[in-house]
Structure formats: C-alpha cells, structure tokens
C-alpha cells in the first residue's frame, strides 16, 4: 500500500484511514494515539486514547482523571491491532513516557517519531531506532547551526556560577514536563546535594517522576517564609512563564538562567534577559536528526513541526526522498 494512504495529514492531525485513528491530534477525535505528554501533542477531550502508561498518567495529572472517555496503555514493543493495522510504541528519549509510534499495514511500515532526542537522559528511556519505509521526523532544531553541547558541560557552568556568587540565587527556567526534571537530575549527577527549590507548577510532575524511580533528591517549595535571605545561594527551578511575574521578584539579586536548545542563539537569550543561557534540549540537534534518519534505513522522510526545508534539502542531497508534512498546531513546550 502507498505510504500516504496509510497515514496523511488532516486538520485534526495525522490520520490513518484503514486503522481509523489519529496520531497526536490537535482537535478532539474518536481514537487518538499519543506520543508523549507535552500539551501540544497530548490534548484532552478525545473519546479514546492509546498511549504508554506514563503518558496516560501524565495526562491525568495535567487534565484530571477524565481527560478521555476510555484509555488503553500500550506496552513498549507490543503490537496492537486496530482495524487490521498493526501499531506499536517504542522509546523516543524525549521525556518520561515518550514513544515513537510504528504503524504497519500490508507490508508498509511508517514510524512517527513524535519529538525525540539522542543525547543521554537519565529521566527517560533512550530512543530506539526502528527500521521502516517512511520515517516521520520532527525538525525543531533542523538547521546545521543547532548543535547541542553535552548537558553535563552546561550544568557545570550553572554550578560554577552558583559557587562564584554564593549570595545570589539562580533562577532556572525549564519546561514543567521533562526539562525541569532533567535539569534537577543532572544537578544530582554532578554531585549537588543541597535542596533544590521548585515553583508550584513543577510539584506534581516532579513527584510523579520520583514515584517512577527517577531520584531528584530533596525538592522544596520555592515559597518565602523567613524572608529573601532564605534563597541566598539557592538554585530555584520554575517554568519559563513564571519568570515574568511577581513570583520571580522574591529572590535575592537573582541570576536568570534558561535551559533550552534555543539558547544556542545568543540574540534570543539576550532578548529574553537571560544572563546564563544553558543549552539543554529535549529535541534532536542537526547531527542527531541526520544520523537518526540514516539509522532508520527509511527510503522516504516526512518532516514536521520545525524547520522543514533544510532537512528536506539534506535528504535530497543524500538521495533520500523527503517532503514537509505541514501539520499545524504544534508549538512544542519542551524545547
Ligand atoms: Zn515534546
């Protein structure tokens, strides 16, 4: 069967006609298969949701228990038949619970990666390359300028700054699902054993990570009790949105830090008032994107959400058929 008859874009999202399901739909549908818990991929209001147990749990934490009429947990590697179409979930290395979805029918296999990365991350299972005919790749950082340094180096810069300025607090902006927990875990792996202070928006997800066996050490709420001095020398983690509001003003002479792949662009850090940009991304950089495309052995690449053109061009130069998918509605919260 032709690949585009097996999966193709619709306004609701990527649709499989023979299986009658959508992958990461942006509007409510009857049957949704969901790659991971970031809010642009995992929305509430579908009739039924098939996802990994961790993604289902994360959706429950974010949207409340009744985010869908029915749910089904997909075990990694297990094949599930949906109207004669075989689907299976495989680790994507993006955030806890994240999965690629393989869709196979009449000898054609397409893998929808969702968001993914190849850098080691102690807070989720590593990406597994799956052989396929068509690989659907994200392209958030799909330009050769994007090369992420080792995350350990970035965390070492944060710890160095914290040691240099013991009277100041370090406010680290990090997305609530995935990035925040990864930053905390990296601090622990680097030997930082003081309490880490967290914004309330991170509490439940961080607690969930800890419950799933990802040790984040002692986390304390970043609330003022004894006055500003409480946070002298502290590392405080919060969602980027919190840094613009009153919450951020309670900390003594704070150094503003932001953990994101976008911090590679100096201008962007400057405009956002970020003093200490940390290039830590949960998305594949250029080398990871191109390396992964080759590893899948796919004859055809569909490129979505991000900078499609450069990656499509790279594929063509490599003799791999490629086209942009033009899915709408994805603005990843976890870059
Ligand atoms: Zn994501």
């Amino acid at each position: 069967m032709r690949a585009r008859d097996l999966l193709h874009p619709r306004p609701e999202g990527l649709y499989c006609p023979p299986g009658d399901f959508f992958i990461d739909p942006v509007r409510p549908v009857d049957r949704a298969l969901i790659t991971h818990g970031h809010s642009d991929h995992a929305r509430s209001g579908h009739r039924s949701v098939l996802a990994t147990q961790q993604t289902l749990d994360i959706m429950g934490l974010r949207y409340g228990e009744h985010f869908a009429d029915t749910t089904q947990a997909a075990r990694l590697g297990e094949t599930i038949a949906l109207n004669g179409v075989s689907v299976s979930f495989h680790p994507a290395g993006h955030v806890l619970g994240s999965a690629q979805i393989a869709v196979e029918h009449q000898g054609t296999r397409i893998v929808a990666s969702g968001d993914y990365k190849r850098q080691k991350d102690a807070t989720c299972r590593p990406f597994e390359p799956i052989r396929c005919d068509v690989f659907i790749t994200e392209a958030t950082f799909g330009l050769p300028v994007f090369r992420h340094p080792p995350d350990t180096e970035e965390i070492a810069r944060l710890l160095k700054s914290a040691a240099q300025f013991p009277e100041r607090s370090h406010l680290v902006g990090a997305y609530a699902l995935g990035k925040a927990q990864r930053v905390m875990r990296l601090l622990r792996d680097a030997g930082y054993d003081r309490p880490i202070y967290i914004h309330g928006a991170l509490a439940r997800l961080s607690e969930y990570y800890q419950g799933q066996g990802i040790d984040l050490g002692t986390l304390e709420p970043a609330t003022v009790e004894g006055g500003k001095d409480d946070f002298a020398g502290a590392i405080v983690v919060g969602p980027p949105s919190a840094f613009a509001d009153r919450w951020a003003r309670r900390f003594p002479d704070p150094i503003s830090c932001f953990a994101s792949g976008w911090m590679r662009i100096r201008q962007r850090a400057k405009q956002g008032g970020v003093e200490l940009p940390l290039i830590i991304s949960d998305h594949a950089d250029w080398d990871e994107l191109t390396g992964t495309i080759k590893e899948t052995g796919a004859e055809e690449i569909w490129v979505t959400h991000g900078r499609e053109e450069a990656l499509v061009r790279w594929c063509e130069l490599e003799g791999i058929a490629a086209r942009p998918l033009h899915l709408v509605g994805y603005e990843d919260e976890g870059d």
Side-chain angles (χ1 to χ4, degrees), residues 53-121:
Q53 185 60 55
Q54 288 171 331
T55 294
L56 294 174
D57 291 345
I58 288 164
M59 291 178 79
L61 286 175
R62 303 191 115 182
Y63 301 128
E65 247 176 86
H66 304 291
F67 63 87
D69 292 347
T70 62
T71 60
Q72 183 184 347
R75 265 194 300 245
L76 292 170
E78 167 193 42
T79 300
I80 296 167
L82 297 175
N83 302 316
V85 175
S86 297
V87 300
S88 55
F89 287 61
H90 308 270
H94 178 55
V95 297
L96 188 62
S98 66
Q100 313 169 68
I101 299 176
V103 176
E104 192 165 352
H105 192 51
Q106 296 176 358
T108 299
R109 182 194 279 170
I110 304 178
V111 170
S113 67
D115 295 333
Y116 68 96
K117 71 170 176 292
R118 307 300 302 270
Q119 251 194 17
K120 191 171 146 276
D121 177 352

Side-chain angles (χ1 to χ4, degrees), residues 35-41 94-95 98 114-116 138 177 282-283 305 332-335:
T35 59
H36 67 287
H38 279 144
S39 53
D40 52 342
H41 293 260
H94 178 55
V95 297
S98 66
D115 295 333
Y116 68 96
E138 62 139 317
L177 169 59
D282 284 330
H283 294 272
H305 45 287
D332 205 78
E333 61 159 327
D335 53 24

Side-chain angles (χ1 to χ4, degrees), residues 1 3-10 13-23 31 33 82-87 101-105 108 110:
M1 124 174 278
R4 62 188 68 191
D5 295 329
L6 182 54
L7 274 179
H8 60 77
R10 275 204 187 174
L14 197 57
Y15 181 62
C16 174
D20 192 22
F21 60 79
F22 288 87
I23 295 177
R31 187 188 285 271
L33 277 55
L82 297 175
N83 302 316
V85 175
S86 297
V87 300
I101 299 176
V103 176
E104 192 165 352
H105 192 51
T108 299
I110 304 178

Side-chain angles (χ1 to χ4, degrees), residues 162-169 228-229 231-234 252-253:
Q164 270 173 333
F165 302 104
E167 70 293 348
R168 300 180 72 180
S169 55
K228 280 191 167 194
D229 291 345
F231 294 101
D253 196 13

Side-chain angles (χ1 to χ4, degrees), residues 123-194:
T123 67
C124 64
R125 295 174 68 127
F127 180 97
E128 280 175 19
I130 306 296
R131 305 288 295 184
C132 54
D133 302 297
V134 177
F135 182 62
I136 306 176
T137 183
E138 62 139 317
T140 305
F141 293 114
L143 285 174
V145 65
F146 290 111
R147 289 192 161 90
H148 307 323
D151 51 10
T152 48
E153 280 176 18
E154 299 301 288
I155 286 295
R157 293 197 303 115
L158 171 60
L159 287 172
K160 190 177 165 202
S161 178
Q164 270 173 333
F165 302 104
E167 70 293 348
R168 300 180 72 180
S169 55
H170 283 70
L171 297 193
V172 184
Y175 291 97
L177 169 59
K179 187 69 62 64
Q181 295 78 22
R182 183 174 168 208
V183 164
M184 294 191 260
R185 178 57 192 245
L186 282 165
L187 285 166
R188 297 313 185 198
D189 288 342
Y192 187 78
D193 57 6
R194 294 172 59 182

